Amino acid sequence: INESIIPDSAKEIGKNWIKKILLIGELVPRLYIETSLLRLYYFLDRSKINAIINRLARSCRAIADAQVASYFACYLIRMVKEIAPQEKSHMLLLMQDFVFRMKPPNKFGHKSVSSEAYIKLFEPFFEVLIKNYTEGCSNSQFEDLLKVYAESNQNADILERIM
């Protein structure tokens, strides 16, 4: 659908909803609602969609719980694939944030849990990210993903999931 055929009144309603969503004080509900309405941005102003997607990916950093953040990241990846299937830059941002959170020996106070068992909790995130990132990616894009891992000083558990 071309944005030029959307009536101005419909665009105004969409903009009003977006403004209301941005006023939600709780971060996680706001991110989920805004992500679920990404199609509105697509119809209002296509030129800003990549910046909005990357903003949402960077906002994931503010979610304190690593598991909650990883599940939001999965949802964001799925929603972006529906409206902009070729867009991959947000996935690199999400991966960079994830490996930053997981710098050894960070298990968020779970000393009794082995690194391998803790990383296993994030398999849904890896599965969604790797499947969607590698789908139709070029060699240079895959090298970018491996570069994120290499710069992270992570253990082999994460590399194993990438491969």
Side-chain angles (χ1 to χ4, degrees):
I1 297 176
N2 190 340
E3 64 186 81
S4 64
I5 65 170
I6 298 173
D8 288 338
S9 60
K11 287 181 182 181
E12 191 62 35
I13 291 170
K15 288 177 185 177
N16 286 338
W17 271 105
I18 290 168
K19 288 176 185 175
K20 289 177 184 185
I21 290 166
L22 293 176
L23 293 175
I24 297 173
E26 293 291 324
L27 177 68
V28 176
R30 183 178 71 233
L31 291 176
Y32 273 101
I33 293 170
E34 190 175 359
T35 302
S36 68
L37 297 176
L38 271 173
R39 285 188 183 107
L40 277 178
Y41 290 110
Y42 191 74
F43 293 117
L44 295 175
D45 190 355
R46 288 184 188 188
S47 65
K48 295 180 181 176
I49 192 71
N50 288 344
I52 292 166
I53 291 168
N54 287 331
R55 178 181 54 79
L56 287 168
R58 285 189 304 276
S59 295
C60 190
R61 296 173 183 167
I63 300 174
D65 187 301
Q67 278 188 287
V68 173
S70 70
Y71 283 106
F72 169 71
C74 290
Y75 182 66
L76 177 63
I77 291 168
R78 189 185 75 133
M79 294 304 292
V80 170
K81 184 175 179 161
E82 289 180 15
I83 63 165
Q86 301 305 316
E87 178 59 33
K88 295 186 184 295
S89 63
H90 66 289
M91 289 187 254
L92 282 179
L93 289 172
L94 293 168
M95 185 64 174
Q96 287 169 341
D97 291 346
F98 178 79
V99 295
F100 178 78
R101 285 178 188 249
M102 303 305 285
K103 286 208 185 260
N106 191 357
K107 291 184 261 180
F108 297 96
H110 302 286
K111 294 180 171 113
S112 62
V113 178
S114 70
S115 274
E116 186 175 319
Y118 190 67
I119 294 293
K120 195 169 186 72
L121 294 172
F122 299 95
E123 280 187 357
F125 167 73
F126 283 114
E127 186 177 314
V128 169
L129 183 120
I130 301 303
K131 178 182 176 275
N132 286 286
Y133 188 82
T134 57
E135 192 173 282
C137 85
S138 66
N139 286 342
S140 66
Q141 287 174 320
F142 190 72
E143 287 172 8
D144 291 341
L145 183 64
L146 290 176
K147 185 177 172 186
V148 169
Y149 166 77
E151 292 171 354
S152 72
N153 297 325
Q154 287 290 340
N155 59 25
D157 293 330
I158 291 177
L159 180 61
E160 181 180 321
R161 275 140 184 98
I162 291 174
M163 295 307 204

